[in-house]
Coordinates of all heavy atoms in Angstrom, one line a residue:
R454 N -3.8 -9.0 6.9 CA -3.2 -9.2 8.2 C -3.5 -10.7 8.7 O -2.7 -11.4 9.3 CB -3.6 -8.2 9.2 CG -3.0 -8.3 10.6 CD -3.5 -7.2 11.5 NE -2.5 -7.0 12.5 CZ -2.2 -5.8 13.0 NH1 -2.9 -4.7 12.7 NH2 -1.4 -5.7 14.0
W455 N -4.7 -11.1 8.5 CA -5.2 -12.4 8.9 C -4.4 -13.4 8.3 O -3.9 -14.4 8.9 CB -6.7 -12.6 8.6 CG -7.2 -13.8 9.2 CD1 -8.0 -14.0 10.3 CD2 -7.1 -15.2 8.6 NE1 -8.4 -15.4 10.3 CE2 -7.9 -16.1 9.4 CE3 -6.6 -15.7 7.4 CZ2 -7.9 -17.4 9.1 CZ3 -6.7 -17.0 7.2 CH2 -7.3 -17.9 8.0
R456 N -4.0 -13.3 7.0 CA -3.3 -14.3 6.3 C -1.9 -14.4 6.8 O -1.3 -15.4 7.0 CB -3.3 -13.9 4.8 CG -4.7 -14.2 4.1 CD -4.7 -14.0 2.7 NE -3.8 -14.9 2.0 CZ -3.4 -14.8 0.8 NH1 -3.7 -13.7 0.1 NH2 -2.6 -15.7 0.3
L457 N -1.3 -13.1 7.1 CA 0.1 -13.1 7.6 C 0.2 -13.8 9.0 O 1.0 -14.6 9.3 CB 0.5 -11.6 7.8 CG 0.8 -10.9 6.5 CD1 0.9 -9.3 6.8 CD2 2.1 -11.4 5.9
E458 N -0.8 -13.7 9.8 CA -0.8 -14.2 11.2 C -1.2 -15.6 11.2 O -0.6 -16.5 11.9 CB -1.7 -13.4 12.1 CG -1.2 -12.0 12.3 CD -2.1 -11.1 13.2 OE1 -3.2 -11.6 13.4 OE2 -1.7 -10.0 13.6
H459 N -2.2 -16.0 10.4 CA -2.7 -17.5 10.5 C -2.1 -18.4 9.4 O -1.8 -19.5 9.7 CB -4.2 -17.5 10.3 CG -4.9 -16.8 11.4 ND1 -5.1 -15.5 11.6 CD2 -5.6 -17.3 12.5 CE1 -5.8 -15.2 12.6 NE2 -6.1 -16.4 13.2
V460 N -1.8 -17.9 8.2 CA -1.2 -18.8 7.2 C 0.3 -18.8 7.3 O 1.0 -19.9 7.3 CB -1.6 -18.3 5.9 CG1 -0.9 -19.2 4.8 CG2 -3.1 -18.4 5.7
Y461 N 0.9 -17.6 7.5 CA 2.4 -17.5 7.5 C 3.0 -17.4 9.0 O 4.2 -17.4 9.1 CB 2.8 -16.3 6.7 CG 2.5 -16.5 5.3 CD1 1.3 -15.8 4.7 CD2 3.3 -17.2 4.4 CE1 1.0 -16.0 3.4 CE2 3.0 -17.4 3.1 CZ 1.8 -16.8 2.5 OH 1.5 -16.9 1.2
K462 N 2.1 -17.4 10.0 CA 2.5 -17.4 11.4 C 3.4 -16.2 11.7 O 4.5 -16.4 12.3 CB 3.1 -18.7 11.8 CG 2.4 -20.0 11.4 CD 1.0 -19.9 12.0 CE 0.2 -21.2 11.6 NZ -1.2 -21.2 12.0
M463 N 3.1 -15.0 11.3 CA 4.0 -13.9 11.4 C 3.1 -12.7 12.0 O 2.1 -12.3 11.5 CB 4.5 -13.4 10.0 CG 5.5 -12.4 10.1 SD 6.1 -12.0 8.4 CE 6.9 -13.6 8.1
Q464 N 3.6 -12.2 13.2 CA 2.9 -11.1 13.8 C 3.5 -9.7 13.2 O 4.8 -9.7 13.0 CB 3.2 -11.0 15.3 CG 2.5 -12.3 16.0 CD 1.1 -12.3 15.9 OE1 0.4 -11.2 16.2 NE2 0.5 -13.4 15.7
V465 N 2.6 -8.8 12.8 CA 3.0 -7.6 12.2 C 2.4 -6.5 12.8 O 1.4 -6.6 13.6 CB 2.7 -7.6 10.7 CG1 3.4 -8.6 9.9 CG2 1.1 -7.7 10.5
E466 N 2.9 -5.3 12.7 CA 2.4 -4.0 13.1 C 2.1 -3.0 11.9 O 3.0 -3.0 11.0 CB 3.3 -3.2 14.1 CG 3.4 -3.9 15.4 CD 4.3 -3.2 16.4 OE1 5.2 -2.4 15.9 OE2 4.3 -3.5 17.6
F467 N 1.0 -2.3 12.0 CA 0.8 -1.4 10.9 C 1.0 0.0 11.5 O 0.6 0.3 12.6 CB -0.7 -1.4 10.4 CG -1.1 -2.7 9.7 CD1 -2.3 -3.3 9.7 CD2 -0.1 -3.4 8.9 CE1 -2.6 -4.4 8.9 CE2 -0.3 -4.5 8.3 CZ -1.5 -5.0 8.2
Q468 N 1.6 0.9 10.6 CA 1.9 2.3 11.1 C 1.5 3.3 9.9 O 1.3 2.8 8.7 CB 3.3 2.5 11.4 CG 3.8 1.6 12.5 CD 5.2 1.7 12.8 OE1 5.9 2.1 11.9 NE2 5.7 1.2 13.9
K469 N 1.3 4.5 10.2 CA 1.0 5.5 9.2 C 2.2 5.6 8.3 O 3.4 5.5 8.7 CB 0.8 6.8 9.8 CG -0.6 7.0 10.4 CD -0.9 8.5 10.9 CE -1.0 9.3 9.6 NZ -1.4 10.7 10.0
V470 N 1.9 5.8 7.0 CA 3.0 6.0 6.0 C 3.5 7.4 6.2 O 2.7 8.4 6.2 CB 2.4 5.8 4.6 CG1 3.6 6.1 3.6 CG2 1.9 4.4 4.4
K471 N 4.8 7.5 6.2 CA 5.4 8.9 6.4 C 5.2 9.6 5.1 O 5.1 9.1 4.0 CB 6.9 8.8 6.7 CG 7.2 8.0 8.1 CD 8.7 7.8 8.2 CE 9.0 7.0 9.4 NZ 10.5 6.7 9.5
I472 N 5.3 11.0 5.2 CA 5.1 11.8 4.0 C 6.5 12.2 3.5 O 7.3 12.6 4.3 CB 4.3 13.1 4.3 CG1 2.9 12.6 4.9 CG2 4.1 13.9 3.1 CD1 2.0 11.8 4.0
P473 N 6.8 12.0 2.2 CA 8.1 12.4 1.7 C 8.2 13.9 1.5 O 8.2 14.4 0.4 CB 8.1 11.6 0.4 CG 6.8 11.5 -0.1 CD 5.9 11.4 1.2
Y474 N 8.4 14.6 2.7 CA 8.5 16.1 2.5 C 9.8 16.5 1.8 O 10.7 15.7 1.6 CB 8.5 16.7 3.9 CG 7.2 16.6 4.7 CD1 7.0 15.7 5.7 CD2 6.0 17.4 4.2 CE1 5.8 15.7 6.4 CE2 4.8 17.3 4.8 CZ 4.7 16.4 5.9 OH 3.5 16.3 6.6
R475 N 9.9 17.7 1.5 CA 11.1 18.4 1.0 C 11.3 19.6 1.7 O 10.4 20.2 2.1 CB 11.0 18.6 -0.6 CG 10.8 17.4 -1.5 CD 12.1 16.5 -1.5 NE 11.9 15.3 -2.4 CZ 11.6 14.1 -2.0 NH1 11.4 13.9 -0.7 NH2 11.4 13.1 -2.8
E476 N 12.6 19.9 1.7 CA 13.0 21.2 2.4 C 13.7 22.2 1.4 O 14.5 21.7 0.5 CB 14.0 21.0 3.6 CG 13.4 20.1 4.7 CD 14.3 19.8 5.8 OE1 15.2 20.6 5.9 OE2 14.1 18.9 6.6
T477 N 13.5 23.4 1.6 CA 14.2 24.4 0.7 C 14.3 25.7 1.5 O 13.9 25.7 2.8 CB 13.5 24.6 -0.6 OG1 14.3 25.4 -1.5 CG2 12.1 25.3 -0.5
I478 N 14.7 26.9 0.9 CA 14.9 28.1 1.6 C 14.3 29.2 0.8 O 14.0 29.0 -0.3 CB 16.3 28.4 1.9 CG1 17.2 28.3 0.6 CG2 16.9 27.5 3.0 CD1 18.6 28.7 0.7
Q479 N 14.0 30.3 1.6 CA 13.3 31.4 0.9 C 14.1 32.7 0.8 O 13.7 33.6 0.2 CB 12.0 31.8 1.7 CG 11.0 30.6 1.9 CD 9.8 30.9 2.7 OE1 8.9 31.5 2.2 NE2 9.8 30.5 4.0
K480 N 15.2 32.8 1.4 CA 16.2 33.9 1.3 C 17.6 33.5 1.4 O 17.9 32.4 1.7 CB 15.8 34.9 2.3 CG 16.2 34.6 3.7 CD 16.0 35.7 4.7 CE 16.6 35.3 6.1 NZ 16.5 36.5 7.0
A481 N 18.5 34.4 1.1 CA 19.9 34.1 1.2 C 20.4 34.2 2.6 O 19.8 34.9 3.5 CB 20.7 35.1 0.3
A482 N 21.4 33.5 3.0 CA 22.1 33.6 4.3 C 23.6 33.2 4.1 O 23.9 32.4 3.3 CB 21.4 32.7 5.3
V483 N 24.3 33.7 5.1 CA 25.8 33.4 5.1 C 26.2 32.9 6.4 O 25.7 33.2 7.4 CB 26.6 34.7 4.8 CG1 28.1 34.5 4.9 CG2 26.3 35.3 3.4
S484 N 27.1 31.9 6.3 CA 27.6 31.3 7.7 C 29.1 30.9 7.5 O 29.5 30.6 6.4 CB 26.8 30.1 8.1 OG 27.1 29.0 7.3
S485 N 29.7 30.7 8.6 CA 31.1 30.2 8.6 C 31.2 29.1 9.7 O 30.5 29.2 10.8 CB 32.2 31.3 8.9 OG 32.2 32.2 7.9
Y486 N 31.9 28.1 9.4 CA 32.1 27.1 10.5 C 33.5 26.5 10.5 O 34.1 26.2 9.4 CB 31.2 25.9 10.2 CG 31.1 24.9 11.3 CD1 30.3 25.0 12.3 CD2 32.0 23.8 11.3 CE1 30.3 24.1 13.4 CE2 32.0 22.9 12.4 CZ 31.2 23.0 13.4 OH 31.2 22.2 14.5
R487 N 34.2 26.6 11.6 CA 35.5 26.0 11.9 C 35.4 24.6 12.5 O 34.8 24.5 13.6 CB 36.3 26.9 12.6 CG 37.7 26.3 12.9 CD 38.5 27.4 13.8 NE 38.9 28.5 13.0 CZ 39.7 29.5 13.4 NH1 40.2 29.5 14.7 NH2 40.0 30.5 12.7
H488 N 35.9 23.6 11.9 CA 36.1 22.3 12.5 C 37.5 22.1 13.0 O 38.5 22.1 12.1 CB 35.7 21.2 11.5 CG 35.9 19.8 12.0 ND1 35.1 19.3 13.0 CD2 36.8 18.8 11.7 CE1 35.6 18.0 13.3 NE2 36.6 17.8 12.4
K489 N 37.8 22.0 14.2 CA 39.1 21.8 14.8 C 39.0 20.7 15.8 O 38.1 20.6 16.8 CB 39.4 23.1 15.5 CG 40.9 23.1 16.0 CD 41.2 24.5 16.5 CE 42.7 24.5 17.1 NZ 43.1 25.8 17.6
K490 N 39.9 19.7 15.7 CA 40.0 18.6 16.6 C 41.4 18.2 16.8 O 42.2 18.0 15.9 CB 39.1 17.4 16.0 CG 39.0 16.2 17.0 CD 38.1 15.1 16.3 CE 38.0 13.9 17.2 NZ 37.3 12.9 16.6
Q491 N 41.8 18.2 18.1 CA 43.2 17.8 18.5 C 43.1 16.7 19.5 O 42.7 17.0 20.6 CB 43.9 19.0 19.0 CG 45.5 18.8 18.9 CD 46.1 18.8 17.5 OE1 45.6 19.6 16.7 NE2 47.0 17.9 17.2
S492 N 43.6 15.5 19.2 CA 43.5 14.4 20.2 C 44.8 13.6 20.1 O 44.7 12.4 20.1 CB 42.2 13.6 19.9 OG 42.2 13.2 18.6
G493 N 45.9 14.3 20.0 CA 47.1 13.5 19.9 C 47.4 13.1 18.5 O 46.5 12.6 17.9
G494 N 48.6 13.2 18.1 CA 49.0 12.8 16.7 C 48.4 13.8 15.7 O 48.1 15.1 16.1
A495 N 48.1 13.4 14.5 CA 47.5 14.4 13.5 C 46.2 14.8 14.0 O 45.3 14.0 14.4 CB 47.4 13.6 12.2
G496 N 45.9 16.1 13.8 CA 44.6 16.7 14.2 C 43.7 16.9 13.0 O 43.9 16.3 11.9
Q497 N 42.7 17.6 13.1 CA 41.7 17.9 12.0 C 41.4 19.4 12.1 O 41.1 20.0 13.1 CB 40.3 17.1 12.2 CG 40.5 15.6 12.1 CD 39.2 14.9 12.2 OE1 38.1 15.5 12.4 NE2 39.2 13.6 12.2
F498 N 41.5 20.0 10.9 CA 41.2 21.5 10.8 C 40.6 21.8 9.4 O 41.2 21.4 8.4 CB 42.5 22.3 11.1 CG 42.2 23.8 11.1 CD1 41.8 24.5 12.2 CD2 42.2 24.5 9.8 CE1 41.5 25.8 12.2 CE2 41.9 25.8 9.8 CZ 41.6 26.5 11.0
G499 N 39.5 22.5 9.5 CA 39.0 23.0 8.3 C 38.0 24.1 8.6 O 37.2 24.0 9.4
E500 N 38.1 25.1 7.9 CA 37.1 26.3 8.0 C 36.5 26.7 6.7 O 37.2 26.8 5.6 CB 37.8 27.5 8.7 CG 36.8 28.7 9.0 CD 37.6 29.8 9.7 OE1 38.3 29.5 10.6 OE2 37.3 30.9 9.3
V501 N 35.2 26.8 6.7 CA 34.5 27.1 5.4 C 33.5 28.2 5.7 O 32.8 28.2 6.7 CB 33.7 25.9 4.9 CG1 32.8 26.2 3.8 CG2 34.7 24.7 4.6
S502 N 33.5 29.2 4.7 CA 32.4 30.2 4.7 C 31.7 30.1 3.4 O 32.2 29.8 2.3 CB 33.1 31.6 4.8 OG 33.8 31.8 5.9
M503 N 30.3 30.2 3.5 CA 29.5 29.9 2.4 C 28.2 30.8 2.4 O 27.8 31.2 3.5 CB 29.1 28.4 2.2 CG 28.1 27.9 3.3 SD 27.5 26.2 2.9 CE 29.1 25.3 2.8
K504 N 27.8 31.1 1.2 CA 26.4 31.7 1.1 C 25.5 30.7 0.5 O 25.8 29.9 -0.5 CB 26.6 32.9 0.2 CG 25.3 33.6 -0.1 CD 25.4 34.8 -1.1 CE 24.1 35.5 -1.3 NZ 24.2 36.6 -2.3
V505 N 24.3 30.6 1.1 CA 23.2 29.8 0.5 C 22.0 30.7 0.1 O 21.9 31.7 0.8 CB 22.8 28.7 1.5 CG1 23.8 27.7 1.9 CG2 22.1 29.2 2.7
E506 N 21.4 30.3 -1.0 CA 20.2 31.1 -1.5 C 19.3 30.2 -2.2 O 19.8 29.2 -2.7 CB 20.8 32.4 -2.3 CG 21.5 31.9 -3.4 CD 22.2 33.2 -4.1 OE1 21.5 34.2 -4.1 OE2 23.4 33.1 -4.5
P507 N 18.0 30.6 -2.3 CA 17.2 29.7 -3.2 C 17.5 29.7 -4.6 O 18.0 30.7 -5.2 CB 15.7 30.5 -3.0 CG 15.9 31.4 -1.8 CD 17.4 31.7 -1.8

Side-chain angles (χ1 to χ4, degrees):
R454 182 177 205 149
W455 187 98
R456 294 182 63 195
L457 287 168
E458 293 177 350
H459 290 79
V460 178
Y461 297 99
K462 310 302 180 186
M463 186 176 295
Q464 296 296 314
V465 296
E466 289 180 345
F467 292 152
Q468 298 171 346
K469 284 188 69 173
V470 176
K471 298 173 185 174
I472 304 301
Y474 292 108
R475 298 288 182 264
E476 298 179 22
T477 191
I478 52 177
Q479 301 179 79
K480 72 174 188 178
V483 173
S484 75
S485 294
Y486 188 87
R487 174 180 291 183
H488 174 69
K489 185 176 181 180
K490 185 177 180 183
Q491 196 72 43
S492 56
Q497 294 181 4
F498 182 89
E500 184 176 315
V501 173
S502 297
M503 69 172 59
K504 177 183 179 182
V505 301
E506 56 191 320

